[in-house]
Amino acid sequence: MRHQVTIKDIAKQLNVSVATVSRALRDLPDIHPDTKKAVLDLAAELDYQPNVLAASLVKSKTKTIGLIVPDLGYYFFSTVVKAIELEAIKAGYSILITQTQESFERELINIQNLSRSQVEGIIISLSRETVNLDHITRLQRRGIPLVFFDRDSDEIHASKVMVDNEQSAYEAVKHLLENGCKRIAFLAGPKNVSVSNQRRLGYLRALSEAGIQEDSSLIIHSDYFQDTATSQTHQLMTSPNPPDGILVVSDRLALGVLVGMRELKVRVPEDVKIVSFNNEPICEVVSPTISSVAQPLEDIGKLALKLLIDQIEGRSEVGEPVIEVLKTQLVVRESSVSNS
């Protein structure tokens, strides 16, 4: 059981009264500036969090789990969240769901708010802006159980549920090569997003095995907005040596790619073939239908919740992360196969 830092702890370390600490934290007058600074500095160092719940909850379990995702508007995250919530209800837990909207600042605020709400553990997928991980290491120092899914960081020693992104991209690029593509571009995500970087490794491995040298001009980083993908498609297809295949980091961006191709009157799959990731329902209804890598979304959610509850209820070894890497399946549709 982790120890929640209290006002009494701060007062004891500084050899001042509890009332003095309370006044300093509430920015009240009649306190010496040096004393106030000492209190605030120590509170920050100890990661003091005011307890907004009833005092009775301190000694009891809240049966509440925090969940932080980049954006529930993404099909991937909304589907995984549904699975997590269903499993949590079965296990007698409730979920506090927060979104970062891909903002690092909002991620910090969400973690603060969840901590103050006395959640027993946190499941998180990092925002695209997250590079500094101090807020995550603070959680670990306080003993709060933590599980990553999808977007993680190699810097953090924690349990996680991922798919084999490198192998998935490798197989997708091999499929494009087998269907006649010789110059394949990769429309990637932001440079610091782990999932995109793992897929880049698979993309490069498949090209290397085929004897194709890496061309940095064919790797373009996007921000997950469809309009950006459309403009980047124009950039690729109007270059002196345009690609004849494109691996796209997500279906959301693949839709933007299709818009760009239509605007340029480039035919898919005759002139350029496309494979993307997530296998969203829209892949089956657009024209041409989109070949996409299907991920086991429900399994990701179920496993993430199980790993967290195992930590909370003491069923897993303390300090021994569990890494679950799940397989994917390439669903082939019209966008990557030439008409016979």
Side-chain angles (χ1 to χ4, degrees), residues 286-311:
V286 294
S287 181
T289 54
I290 302 173
S291 296
S292 188
V293 176
Q295 303 180 69
L297 304 185
E298 289 79 10
D299 290 344
I300 292 171
K302 289 178 181 178
L303 267 174
L305 193 278
K306 179 184 182 300
L307 290 182
L308 191 70
I309 291 180
D310 282 351
Q311 291 182 56

Side-chain angles (χ1 to χ4, degrees), residues 237-270:
M237 300 312 297
T238 57
S239 65
N241 190 9
D244 56 8
I246 304 178
L247 177 68
V248 189
V249 77
S250 75
D251 296 332
R252 169 184 285 255
L253 295 187
L255 294 176
V257 172
L258 285 183
V259 170
M261 295 298 181
R262 286 200 190 105
E263 291 172 350
L264 294 168
K265 294 182 170 50
V266 175
R267 299 172 302 165
V268 178
E270 292 85 356

Side-chain angles (χ1 to χ4, degrees), residues 35-53:
T35 303
K36 179 179 176 181
K37 183 178 185 304
V39 170
L40 295 178
D41 287 349
L42 184 58
E45 181 185 336
L46 298 177
D47 197 24
Y48 166 76
Q49 300 286 342
N51 187 354
V52 297
L53 295 185

Side-chain angles (χ1 to χ4, degrees), residues 85-150:
E85 190 170 33
L86 281 173
E87 290 302 301
I89 290 170
K90 291 178 188 175
Y93 286 79
S94 59
I95 302 284
L96 291 180
I97 303 169
T98 65
Q99 303 177 75
T100 63
Q101 299 295 339
E102 299 286 14
S103 162
F104 173 67
E105 291 301 323
R106 283 190 65 166
E107 188 169 289
L108 292 178
I109 292 168
N110 289 342
I111 281 186
Q112 280 185 340
N113 290 339
L114 291 174
S115 296
R116 288 169 181 165
S117 298
Q118 299 286 298
V119 295
E120 294 194 54
I122 291 177
I123 299 173
I124 184 171
S125 187
L126 298 173
S127 84
R128 70 164 174 248
E129 293 182 356
T130 301
V131 177
N132 185 316
L133 296 161
D134 288 349
H135 58 307
I136 304 295
T137 56
R138 281 198 299 272
L139 283 177
Q140 291 186 309
R141 284 201 303 270
R142 292 169 57 204
I144 296 179
L146 179 71
V147 173
F148 285 106
F149 77 97
D150 191 50

